[in-house]
Coordinates of all heavy atoms in Angstrom, one line a residue:
M1 N 11.7 -0.9 -122.8 CA 10.8 0.2 -123.1 C 10.4 0.8 -121.8 O 10.1 0.2 -120.8 CB 9.6 -0.3 -123.9 CG 8.6 0.8 -124.1 SD 7.0 0.3 -124.9 CE 7.5 -0.8 -126.2
T2 N 10.4 2.1 -121.8 CA 9.9 2.9 -120.7 C 8.4 2.8 -120.5 O 7.7 3.0 -121.5 CB 10.3 4.4 -120.8 OG1 11.7 4.5 -121.0 CG2 9.9 5.2 -119.6
V3 N 7.9 2.6 -119.3 CA 6.5 2.7 -119.0 C 6.3 3.8 -118.0 O 6.9 3.8 -116.9 CB 6.0 1.3 -118.5 CG1 4.5 1.4 -118.1 CG2 6.2 0.2 -119.5
R4 N 5.4 4.7 -118.3 CA 5.1 5.8 -117.4 C 3.7 5.5 -116.8 O 2.8 5.1 -117.6 CB 5.2 7.1 -118.1 CG 6.6 7.5 -118.5 CD 6.7 8.8 -119.2 NE 8.0 9.3 -119.3 CZ 8.9 8.8 -120.1 NH1 8.6 7.8 -120.9 NH2 10.2 9.3 -120.2
R5 N 3.6 5.8 -115.6 CA 2.3 5.6 -114.9 C 1.7 6.9 -114.4 O 2.5 7.8 -114.0 CB 2.5 4.6 -113.7 CG 2.9 3.2 -114.2 CD 3.3 2.3 -113.0 NE 3.7 1.0 -113.6 CZ 4.8 0.7 -114.1 NH1 5.8 1.6 -114.3 NH2 5.0 -0.6 -114.6
G6 N 0.4 7.0 -114.4 CA -0.2 8.1 -113.8 C -1.6 7.8 -113.2 O -2.0 6.7 -113.3
S7 N -2.1 8.8 -112.5 CA -3.4 8.5 -111.8 C -4.0 9.9 -111.5 O -3.4 10.9 -111.6 CB -3.2 7.7 -110.5 OG -2.5 8.5 -109.6
C8 N -5.3 9.8 -111.0 CA -5.9 10.9 -110.4 C -5.3 11.1 -109.0 O -4.5 10.3 -108.5 CB -7.4 10.7 -110.3 SG -7.9 9.2 -109.3
L9 N -5.7 12.2 -108.3 CA -5.2 12.5 -107.0 C -5.4 11.4 -106.0 O -4.5 11.1 -105.2 CB -5.8 13.8 -106.5 CG -5.3 14.4 -105.2 CD1 -3.8 14.7 -105.3 CD2 -6.0 15.7 -104.9
C10 N -6.6 10.8 -106.0 CA -6.9 9.8 -105.0 C -6.4 8.4 -105.4 O -6.4 7.5 -104.5 CB -8.4 9.7 -104.7 SG -9.4 9.1 -106.0
G11 N -5.9 8.2 -106.6 CA -5.4 6.9 -107.1 C -6.5 5.9 -107.5 O -6.1 4.8 -107.8
A12 N -7.7 6.3 -107.5 CA -8.8 5.4 -107.9 C -8.7 5.0 -109.4 O -9.1 3.9 -109.8 CB -10.2 6.0 -107.6
R13 N -8.2 5.9 -110.3 CA -8.1 5.6 -111.7 C -6.7 5.7 -112.1 O -6.1 6.8 -111.9 CB -9.0 6.5 -112.5 CG -9.1 6.1 -114.0 CD -10.5 6.0 -114.4 NE -10.6 5.1 -115.6 CZ -11.3 5.4 -116.7 NH1 -11.9 6.6 -116.8 NH2 -11.4 4.6 -117.6
T14 N -6.1 4.7 -112.7 CA -4.7 4.7 -113.1 C -4.5 4.3 -114.5 O -5.4 3.7 -115.1 CB -3.9 3.7 -112.2 OG1 -4.3 2.4 -112.4 CG2 -4.0 4.1 -110.7
Y15 N -3.4 4.7 -115.1 CA -3.1 4.4 -116.5 C -1.6 4.2 -116.7 O -0.8 4.6 -115.8 CB -3.6 5.5 -117.4 CG -3.0 6.9 -117.2 CD1 -1.8 7.2 -117.8 CD2 -3.6 7.8 -116.3 CE1 -1.2 8.4 -117.6 CE2 -3.0 9.0 -116.1 CZ -1.8 9.3 -116.7 OH -1.2 10.6 -116.5
E16 N -1.3 3.7 -117.8 CA 0.1 3.6 -118.2 C 0.3 4.0 -119.7 O -0.6 3.9 -120.5 CB 0.6 2.1 -118.1 CG 0.6 1.6 -116.7 CD 1.0 0.1 -116.6 OE1 1.0 -0.6 -117.6 OE2 1.4 -0.3 -115.5
I17 N 1.5 4.6 -119.9 CA 1.9 5.0 -121.3 C 3.2 4.3 -121.6 O 4.2 4.4 -120.8 CB 2.1 6.5 -121.3 CG1 0.8 7.3 -121.0 CG2 2.7 7.0 -122.7 CD1 1.0 8.8 -120.8
D18 N 3.3 3.7 -122.8 CA 4.5 3.0 -123.2 C 5.3 3.9 -124.1 O 4.8 4.7 -124.9 CB 4.1 1.8 -124.1 CG 3.4 0.7 -123.3 OD1 3.7 0.5 -122.1 OD2 2.6 0.0 -123.9
G19 N 6.6 3.9 -123.9 CA 7.6 4.6 -124.7 C 7.8 6.0 -124.3 O 7.3 6.5 -123.3
D20 N 8.6 6.7 -125.1 CA 9.0 8.1 -124.9 C 7.9 9.0 -125.2 O 7.0 8.7 -126.0 CB 10.2 8.4 -125.7 CG 11.5 7.7 -125.3 OD1 11.6 7.3 -124.1 OD2 12.3 7.4 -126.2
L21 N 7.9 10.1 -124.5 CA 6.9 11.2 -124.8 C 7.5 12.2 -125.8 O 8.7 12.5 -125.8 CB 6.6 11.9 -123.4 CG 6.0 10.9 -122.4 CD1 5.9 11.7 -121.1 CD2 4.7 10.3 -122.8
D22 N 6.6 12.8 -126.6 CA 7.0 13.7 -127.6 C 7.1 15.2 -127.1 O 7.4 16.1 -127.9 CB 6.1 13.6 -128.8 CG 6.3 12.3 -129.5 OD1 7.4 11.7 -129.5 OD2 5.3 11.9 -130.1
G23 N 6.7 15.4 -125.9 CA 6.8 16.7 -125.3 C 5.5 17.1 -124.6 O 4.5 16.3 -124.6
V24 N 5.4 18.2 -124.0 CA 4.3 18.7 -123.3 C 3.7 19.9 -124.1 O 4.4 20.8 -124.6 CB 4.6 19.2 -121.9 CG1 3.4 19.8 -121.2 CG2 5.2 18.0 -121.1
W25 N 2.4 19.9 -124.3 CA 1.7 20.9 -125.1 C 0.9 21.7 -124.1 O 0.4 21.2 -123.1 CB 0.8 20.3 -126.1 CG 1.6 19.4 -127.1 CD1 1.9 18.1 -126.9 CD2 2.2 19.8 -128.3 NE1 2.6 17.6 -127.9 CE2 2.8 18.7 -128.8 CE3 2.3 21.0 -129.0 CZ2 3.5 18.7 -130.0 CZ3 3.0 21.0 -130.2 CH2 3.6 19.9 -130.7
V26 N 0.7 23.0 -124.3 CA -0.2 23.8 -123.5 C -1.2 24.4 -124.4 O -0.9 25.2 -125.3 CB 0.6 24.9 -122.7 CG1 -0.3 25.8 -121.9 CG2 1.7 24.3 -121.9
C27 N -2.5 24.1 -124.1 CA -3.6 24.7 -124.8 C -4.1 25.9 -124.0 O -4.3 25.8 -122.8 CB -4.7 23.7 -125.0 SG -6.0 24.4 -126.0
H28 N -4.2 27.0 -124.7 CA -4.7 28.3 -124.1 C -6.1 28.7 -124.6 O -6.5 29.8 -124.4 CB -3.7 29.4 -124.4 CG -2.3 29.1 -123.9 ND1 -2.0 29.2 -122.6 CD2 -1.2 28.8 -124.6 CE1 -0.7 28.9 -122.5 NE2 -0.2 28.7 -123.6
C29 N -6.8 27.8 -125.3 CA -8.1 28.1 -125.8 C -9.1 28.5 -124.7 O -8.8 28.2 -123.5 CB -8.7 27.0 -126.7 SG -9.5 25.7 -125.7
S30 N -10.1 29.2 -125.0 CA -11.1 29.7 -124.0 C -11.7 28.5 -123.2 O -11.9 28.6 -122.0 CB -12.2 30.5 -124.6 OG -12.9 29.8 -125.5
L31 N -11.9 27.4 -123.8 CA -12.5 26.2 -123.1 C -11.5 25.7 -122.1 O -11.8 25.4 -120.9 CB -12.9 25.1 -124.1 CG -14.1 25.5 -125.0 CD1 -14.3 24.4 -126.0 CD2 -15.4 25.7 -124.2
C32 N -10.3 25.5 -122.5 CA -9.2 25.0 -121.6 C -9.0 25.9 -120.4 O -8.7 25.5 -119.3 CB -7.9 24.7 -122.3 SG -8.1 23.2 -123.3
R33 N -9.0 27.2 -120.7 CA -8.9 28.2 -119.6 C -10.0 28.1 -118.6 O -9.8 28.1 -117.4 CB -8.8 29.6 -120.1 CG -7.5 29.9 -120.9 CD -7.2 31.3 -121.2 NE -8.4 32.0 -121.7 CZ -8.6 32.3 -123.0 NH1 -7.8 31.9 -123.9 NH2 -9.7 33.0 -123.3
K34 N -11.2 27.9 -119.1 CA -12.4 27.8 -118.2 C -12.4 26.5 -117.4 O -12.7 26.5 -116.2 CB -13.7 27.9 -118.9 CG -14.0 29.4 -119.3 CD -15.4 29.5 -119.9 CE -15.6 30.9 -120.3 NZ -17.0 31.3 -120.2
V35 N -12.1 25.4 -118.1 CA -12.0 24.1 -117.4 C -11.0 24.0 -116.3 O -11.2 23.4 -115.3 CB -11.8 23.0 -118.5 CG1 -11.4 21.7 -117.8 CG2 -13.1 22.7 -119.2
S36 N -9.8 24.6 -116.6 CA -8.7 24.6 -115.6 C -8.8 25.6 -114.6 O -8.2 25.5 -113.5 CB -7.4 24.7 -116.4 OG -7.2 26.0 -116.8
G37 N -9.4 26.7 -114.9 CA -9.4 27.9 -113.9 C -8.1 28.6 -114.0 O -7.9 29.4 -113.1
G38 N -7.3 28.3 -115.0 CA -6.0 29.0 -115.1 C -5.8 29.5 -116.5 O -6.7 29.7 -117.2
S39 N -4.5 29.6 -116.9 CA -4.2 30.2 -118.2 C -4.2 29.2 -119.3 O -4.0 29.5 -120.4 CB -2.8 30.9 -118.1 OG -1.8 30.0 -117.7
G40 N -4.4 27.9 -119.0 CA -4.5 26.9 -120.0 C -4.2 25.5 -119.3 O -4.2 25.4 -118.1
I41 N -4.1 24.5 -120.1 CA -3.9 23.1 -119.7 C -2.7 22.5 -120.3 O -2.6 22.5 -121.6 CB -5.1 22.2 -120.0 CG1 -6.4 22.7 -119.3 CG2 -4.8 20.8 -119.6 CD1 -7.6 21.9 -119.6
A42 N -1.8 22.0 -119.5 CA -0.6 21.3 -120.0 C -1.0 19.8 -120.3 O -1.5 19.2 -119.4 CB 0.6 21.4 -119.0
I43 N -0.8 19.3 -121.5 CA -1.2 18.0 -121.8 C -0.1 17.2 -122.6 O 0.8 17.9 -123.2 CB -2.5 18.0 -122.7 CG1 -2.2 18.7 -124.0 CG2 -3.6 18.5 -122.0 CD1 -3.3 18.6 -125.0
L44 N -0.2 15.9 -122.5 CA 0.6 15.0 -123.4 C -0.3 14.5 -124.4 O -1.4 14.1 -124.1 CB 1.2 13.9 -122.5 CG 1.9 14.3 -121.2 CD1 2.2 13.0 -120.4 CD2 3.2 15.0 -121.5
I45 N 0.1 14.5 -125.7 CA -0.7 13.9 -126.7 C 0.0 12.5 -127.0 O 1.1 12.5 -127.5 CB -0.7 14.8 -128.0 CG1 -1.3 16.2 -127.6 CG2 -1.5 14.1 -129.1 CD1 -1.2 17.2 -128.7
V46 N -0.7 11.5 -126.7 CA -0.2 10.1 -126.7 C -0.9 9.3 -127.8 O -2.2 9.3 -127.8 CB -0.3 9.4 -125.3 CG1 0.2 8.0 -125.4 CG2 0.4 10.3 -124.3
P47 N -0.2 8.6 -128.7 CA -0.9 7.7 -129.6 C -1.7 6.7 -128.8 O -1.3 6.1 -127.8 CB 0.2 7.0 -130.3 CG 1.4 8.0 -130.2 CD 1.2 8.6 -128.9
R48 N -2.9 6.4 -129.2 CA -3.9 5.5 -128.5 C -3.3 4.1 -128.3 O -3.5 3.6 -127.2 CB -5.2 5.4 -129.3 CG -6.2 4.6 -128.6 CD -7.5 4.6 -129.3 NE -8.2 5.9 -129.2 CZ -9.0 6.3 -128.2 NH1 -9.1 5.5 -127.2 NH2 -9.6 7.4 -128.2
D49 N -2.5 3.6 -129.2 CA -2.0 2.3 -129.0 C -0.9 2.2 -128.0 O -0.4 1.1 -127.6 CB -1.5 1.7 -130.3 CG -0.3 2.4 -131.0 OD1 0.0 3.6 -130.5 OD2 0.3 1.9 -131.9
R50 N -0.4 3.3 -127.4 CA 0.6 3.4 -126.4 C 0.0 3.7 -125.0 O 0.7 3.8 -124.0 CB 1.7 4.3 -126.7 CG 2.5 3.9 -128.0 CD 3.6 4.8 -128.4 NE 4.2 5.6 -127.3 CZ 4.7 6.8 -127.4 NH1 4.7 7.4 -128.5 NH2 5.2 7.4 -126.3
F51 N -1.3 3.9 -125.0 CA -2.0 4.2 -123.7 C -2.9 3.1 -123.3 O -3.6 2.5 -124.1 CB -2.8 5.5 -124.0 CG -3.6 5.9 -122.8 CD1 -3.1 6.8 -121.8 CD2 -4.9 5.4 -122.6 CE1 -3.8 7.2 -120.7 CE2 -5.6 5.8 -121.5 CZ -5.1 6.7 -120.5
R52 N -3.0 2.9 -122.0 CA -4.0 1.9 -121.5 C -4.4 2.3 -120.0 O -3.6 2.7 -119.2 CB -3.4 0.5 -121.5 CG -2.3 0.2 -120.6 CD -1.8 -1.2 -120.8 NE -0.4 -1.3 -120.3 CZ 0.7 -0.9 -120.8 NH1 0.6 -0.3 -122.0 NH2 1.8 -0.9 -120.3
W53 N -5.7 2.1 -119.8 CA -6.2 2.2 -118.4 C -5.8 1.0 -117.7 O -5.9 -0.1 -118.2 CB -7.7 2.4 -118.4 CG -8.2 3.7 -119.0 CD1 -8.8 3.9 -120.2 CD2 -8.1 5.0 -118.4 NE1 -9.1 5.2 -120.4 CE2 -8.6 5.9 -119.3 CE3 -7.6 5.4 -117.2 CZ2 -8.7 7.2 -119.1 CZ3 -7.6 6.8 -116.9 CH2 -8.2 7.7 -117.8
V54 N -5.5 1.1 -116.4 CA -5.1 0.0 -115.6 C -6.2 -0.3 -114.5 O -6.6 -1.5 -114.4 CB -3.7 0.2 -114.9 CG1 -3.3 -1.0 -114.0 CG2 -2.6 0.5 -115.9
T55 N -6.6 0.7 -113.8 CA -7.6 0.5 -112.8 C -8.7 1.6 -112.8 O -8.4 2.7 -113.3 CB -7.0 0.4 -111.4 OG1 -6.4 1.7 -111.1 CG2 -6.0 -0.7 -111.2
G56 N -9.8 1.3 -112.2 CA -10.8 2.4 -111.9 C -11.7 2.8 -113.1 O -12.1 3.9 -113.2
A57 N -12.0 1.8 -114.0 CA -12.9 2.2 -115.1 C -14.2 2.8 -114.7 O -14.8 3.6 -115.4 CB -13.2 0.9 -115.9
D58 N -14.7 2.5 -113.5 CA -16.0 3.0 -113.0 C -15.8 4.4 -112.3 O -16.8 5.0 -111.9 CB -16.6 2.0 -112.0 CG -15.7 1.7 -110.8 OD1 -14.5 1.8 -110.9 OD2 -16.3 1.4 -109.7
H59 N -14.6 4.9 -112.3 CA -14.4 6.2 -111.6 C -14.3 7.4 -112.6 O -14.2 8.5 -112.2 CB -13.1 6.2 -110.8 CG -13.3 5.5 -109.5 ND1 -13.4 4.2 -109.3 CD2 -13.4 6.0 -108.3 CE1 -13.6 3.9 -108.1 NE2 -13.6 5.0 -107.4
G60 N -14.3 7.2 -113.9 CA -14.2 8.3 -114.8 C -15.6 8.8 -115.2 O -16.5 8.0 -115.5
R61 N -15.7 10.1 -115.2 CA -16.9 10.8 -115.6 C -16.6 11.8 -116.8 O -15.8 12.7 -116.5 CB -17.6 11.5 -114.5 CG -18.0 10.7 -113.3 CD -19.1 9.7 -113.7 NE -19.5 8.9 -112.5 CZ -19.1 7.7 -112.2 NH1 -18.2 7.2 -113.0 NH2 -19.5 7.1 -111.2
T62 N -17.1 11.5 -117.9 CA -16.8 12.4 -119.1 C -18.0 13.3 -119.3 O -19.2 12.9 -119.3 CB -16.6 11.6 -120.3 OG1 -15.4 10.7 -120.1 CG2 -16.3 12.4 -121.5
Y63 N -17.7 14.6 -119.5 CA -18.6 15.7 -119.8 C -18.4 16.2 -121.2 O -17.3 16.7 -121.5 CB -18.5 16.8 -118.8 CG -18.6 16.3 -117.3 CD1 -17.5 15.9 -116.6 CD2 -19.9 16.1 -116.8 CE1 -17.6 15.4 -115.3 CE2 -20.0 15.6 -115.5 CZ -18.9 15.3 -114.7 OH -19.0 14.8 -113.5
Q64 N -19.4 16.0 -122.1 CA -19.3 16.4 -123.4 C -19.7 17.9 -123.5 O -20.9 18.2 -123.4 CB -20.2 15.6 -124.3 CG -20.0 15.9 -125.8 CD -18.7 15.4 -126.4 OE1 -18.2 14.3 -126.0 NE2 -18.1 16.1 -127.2
L65 N -18.7 18.8 -123.6 CA -19.0 20.2 -123.6 C -19.4 20.8 -125.0 O -20.2 21.7 -125.1 CB -17.9 21.0 -123.0 CG -17.4 20.5 -121.6 CD1 -16.2 21.3 -121.2 CD2 -18.6 20.8 -120.7
R66 N -18.8 20.2 -126.0 CA -19.1 20.5 -127.4 C -18.8 19.3 -128.2 O -18.2 18.3 -127.7 CB -18.1 21.6 -127.9 CG -18.2 22.9 -127.1 CD -18.3 24.1 -128.0 NE -18.6 25.3 -127.3 CZ -17.8 26.4 -127.2 NH1 -16.7 26.4 -127.9 NH2 -18.2 27.4 -126.5
P67 N -19.2 19.2 -129.5 CA -19.1 18.0 -130.3 C -17.6 17.5 -130.3 O -17.3 16.3 -130.4 CB -19.6 18.4 -131.6 CG -20.6 19.4 -131.4 CD -20.0 20.2 -130.2
T68 N -16.6 18.4 -130.3 CA -15.2 18.0 -130.4 C -14.4 18.4 -129.1 O -13.2 18.4 -129.1 CB -14.6 18.7 -131.6 OG1 -14.7 20.1 -131.4 CG2 -15.2 18.3 -132.9
Y69 N -15.1 18.6 -128.0 CA -14.4 18.9 -126.7 C -15.1 18.3 -125.5 O -16.3 18.5 -125.3 CB -14.4 20.4 -126.5 CG -13.5 20.9 -125.4 CD1 -12.2 21.3 -125.7 CD2 -14.0 20.9 -124.1 CE1 -11.3 21.7 -124.6 CE2 -13.1 21.3 -123.1 CZ -11.8 21.7 -123.3 OH -11.0 22.1 -122.3
S70 N -14.4 17.4 -124.8 CA -15.0 16.8 -123.6 C -13.9 16.9 -122.5 O -12.7 17.1 -122.8 CB -15.4 15.4 -123.9 OG -14.3 14.6 -124.2
V71 N -14.4 16.7 -121.3 CA -13.5 16.7 -120.1 C -13.8 15.5 -119.3 O -15.0 15.1 -119.2 CB -13.8 18.0 -119.2 CG1 -13.0 17.9 -118.0 CG2 -13.5 19.2 -120.0
T72 N -12.8 14.8 -118.9 CA -13.0 13.6 -118.0 C -12.4 13.9 -116.7 O -11.3 14.3 -116.6 CB -12.4 12.3 -118.7 OG1 -13.0 12.1 -119.9 CG2 -12.6 11.1 -117.8
R73 N -13.2 13.5 -115.6 CA -12.7 13.8 -114.2 C -13.0 12.5 -113.4 O -13.9 11.7 -113.7 CB -13.5 14.9 -113.6 CG -13.3 16.2 -114.4 CD -13.1 17.3 -113.5 NE -12.9 18.6 -114.2 CZ -11.8 19.3 -114.1 NH1 -10.8 18.9 -113.3 NH2 -11.7 20.4 -114.8
C74 N -12.2 12.4 -112.4 CA -12.4 11.3 -111.4 C -13.7 11.5 -110.6 O -13.9 12.6 -110.1 CB -11.2 11.1 -110.5 SG -11.5 9.9 -109.2
A75 N -14.5 10.5 -110.5 CA -15.8 10.6 -109.8 C -15.6 10.8 -108.3 O -16.5 11.2 -107.6 CB -16.7 9.4 -110.1
T76 N -14.4 10.4 -107.8 CA -14.2 10.4 -106.4 C -13.5 11.8 -106.0 O -14.0 12.5 -105.1 CB -13.3 9.3 -105.9 OG1 -13.9 8.0 -106.3 CG2 -13.0 9.3 -104.5
C77 N -12.4 12.1 -106.7 CA -11.6 13.3 -106.2 C -11.8 14.5 -107.2 O -11.4 15.6 -106.8 CB -10.2 13.0 -106.1 SG -9.3 12.5 -107.6
G78 N -12.3 14.3 -108.4 CA -12.5 15.4 -109.3 C -11.3 15.8 -110.1 O -11.4 16.7 -110.9
S79 N -10.2 15.0 -110.0 CA -9.0 15.3 -110.8 C -9.3 15.2 -112.3 O -10.0 14.3 -112.7 CB -7.9 14.4 -110.4 OG -7.5 14.6 -109.1
P80 N -8.6 16.0 -113.1 CA -8.7 15.8 -114.5 C -8.0 14.5 -114.9 O -7.0 14.1 -114.4 CB -7.9 17.0 -115.1 CG -7.5 17.8 -114.0 CD -7.8 17.1 -112.7
L81 N -8.6 13.8 -115.9 CA -8.1 12.5 -116.3 C -7.9 12.5 -117.8 O -8.4 13.4 -118.5 CB -9.1 11.4 -116.0 CG -9.2 11.0 -114.5 CD1 -10.4 10.1 -114.3 CD2 -8.0 10.3 -114.0
P82 N -7.1 11.6 -118.4 CA -7.0 11.5 -119.8 C -8.3 11.5 -120.6 O -9.3 10.9 -120.1 CB -6.2 10.3 -120.0 CG -5.4 10.1 -118.8 CD -6.3 10.6 -117.7
V83 N -8.3 12.2 -121.7 CA -9.5 12.2 -122.5 C -9.3 11.5 -123.8 O -8.3 11.7 -124.5 CB -9.9 13.7 -122.8 CG1 -11.1 13.8 -123.8 CG2 -10.2 14.4 -121.6
E84 N -10.2 10.6 -124.2 CA -10.1 9.8 -125.4 C -11.0 10.5 -126.4 O -12.1 10.0 -126.7 CB -10.5 8.4 -125.1 CG -9.6 7.7 -124.1 CD -10.0 6.4 -123.7 OE1 -9.7 5.4 -124.4 OE2 -10.6 6.3 -122.6
E85 N -10.5 11.6 -127.0 CA -11.3 12.5 -127.8 C -11.5 11.9 -129.3 O -12.5 12.2 -129.9 CB -10.7 13.9 -127.9 CG -11.6 14.9 -128.4 CD -12.8 15.3 -127.6 OE1 -12.6 15.6 -126.4 OE2 -13.9 15.2 -128.1
N86 N -10.4 11.2 -129.7 CA -10.5 10.7 -131.1 C -9.9 9.4 -131.2 O -9.3 8.9 -130.2 CB -9.9 11.7 -132.1 CG -8.4 11.9 -131.9 OD1 -7.7 11.0 -131.7 ND2 -8.0 13.2 -131.8
E87 N -9.9 8.8 -132.4 CA -9.4 7.4 -132.6 C -7.9 7.3 -132.5 O -7.3 6.2 -132.3 CB -9.9 6.8 -133.9 CG -11.4 6.7 -133.9 CD -12.0 5.7 -132.9 OE1 -11.3 4.6 -132.7 OE2 -13.0 6.0 -132.3
A88 N -7.2 8.4 -132.8 CA -5.8 8.3 -132.9 C -5.0 8.7 -131.7 O -3.9 8.1 -131.5 CB -5.3 9.3 -134.0
H89 N -5.5 9.6 -130.8 CA -4.8 10.1 -129.7 C -5.6 10.1 -128.4 O -6.8 10.2 -128.4 CB -4.3 11.5 -130.0 CG -3.3 11.5 -131.1 ND1 -3.7 11.9 -132.4 CD2 -2.0 11.3 -131.2 CE1 -2.7 11.8 -133.2 NE2 -1.7 11.5 -132.5
V90 N -4.8 10.1 -127.3 CA -5.4 10.3 -126.0 C -4.7 11.6 -125.4 O -3.5 11.7 -125.6 CB -5.1 9.1 -125.0 CG1 -5.6 9.4 -123.6 CG2 -5.7 7.8 -125.6
Y91 N -5.5 12.5 -124.8 CA -4.9 13.7 -124.3 C -4.8 13.6 -122.8 O -5.8 13.5 -122.1 CB -5.9 14.9 -124.8 CG -5.9 15.0 -126.3 CD1 -6.9 14.2 -127.0 CD2 -5.0 15.7 -127.0 CE1 -6.9 14.3 -128.4 CE2 -5.1 15.8 -128.4 CZ -6.0 15.1 -129.0 OH -6.0 15.1 -130.4
V92 N -3.6 13.6 -122.3 CA -3.3 13.3 -120.9 C -2.9 14.5 -120.2 O -1.9 15.2 -120.6 CB -2.2 12.2 -120.9 CG1 -1.9 11.9 -119.4 CG2 -2.5 11.0 -121.7
P93 N -3.6 14.9 -119.1 CA -3.1 16.0 -118.3 C -1.7 15.8 -117.8 O -1.4 14.7 -117.2 CB -4.1 16.1 -117.1 CG -5.3 15.3 -117.6 CD -4.8 14.3 -118.6
A94 N -0.8 16.7 -118.1 CA 0.6 16.5 -117.8 C 0.9 16.2 -116.3 O 1.8 15.5 -115.9 CB 1.4 17.6 -118.3
G95 N 0.1 16.8 -115.4 CA 0.3 16.7 -114.0 C -0.2 15.4 -113.4 O 0.1 15.1 -112.2
S96 N -0.9 14.6 -114.2 CA -1.5 13.4 -113.6 C -0.5 12.3 -113.6 O -0.7 11.2 -113.1 CB -2.8 13.0 -114.3 OG -2.5 12.6 -115.7

């Protein structure tokens, strides 16, 4: 089985994803545009049971912007991190 690894820019928070990816999604909603400062955010939508944090549990800071929208960033470098928004999926910034 393929294991993919990712992290924030400074490497303080790391994660792993098991198995193949279903593709990259780009959200262009107004919140994603504002959070990214660009035209949208490229994300991987990963089933929760295939995602796990490896290191840096104390480095994530989650900001609840709306009841169904939050952003998680590294407390050290500010990089976007995967968001555990619901019970079924984790939303992983594609560049991480």
Side-chain angles (χ1 to χ4, degrees):
M1 177 186 313
T2 302
V3 176
R4 289 178 170 78
R5 293 171 179 81
S7 71
C8 59
L9 184 61
C10 71
R13 190 129 204 227
T14 62
Y15 62 86
E16 293 180 343
I17 299 170
D18 295 327
D20 293 331
L21 302 172
D22 293 331
V24 177
W25 303 86
V26 179
C27 183
H28 302 284
C29 79
S30 62
L31 293 173
C32 286
R33 291 192 313 263
K34 284 187 180 213
V35 161
S36 70
S39 61
I41 296 177
I43 60 170
L44 309 169
I45 301 173
V46 178
R48 187 175 286 277
D49 64 346
R50 292 180 30 211
F51 176 90
R52 69 186 157 281
W53 291 108
V54 179
T55 63
D58 59 333
H59 279 74
R61 300 293 181 266
T62 299
Y63 304 94
Q64 187 73 39
L65 303 174
R66 298 226 172 122
T68 59
Y69 189 95
S70 63
V71 176
T72 301
R73 301 223 178 239
C74 174
T76 302
C77 67
S79 295
L81 290 168
V83 176
E84 299 173 81
E85 193 69 55
N86 63 49
E87 297 298 318
H89 297 97
V90 178
Y91 299 88
V92 181
S96 66

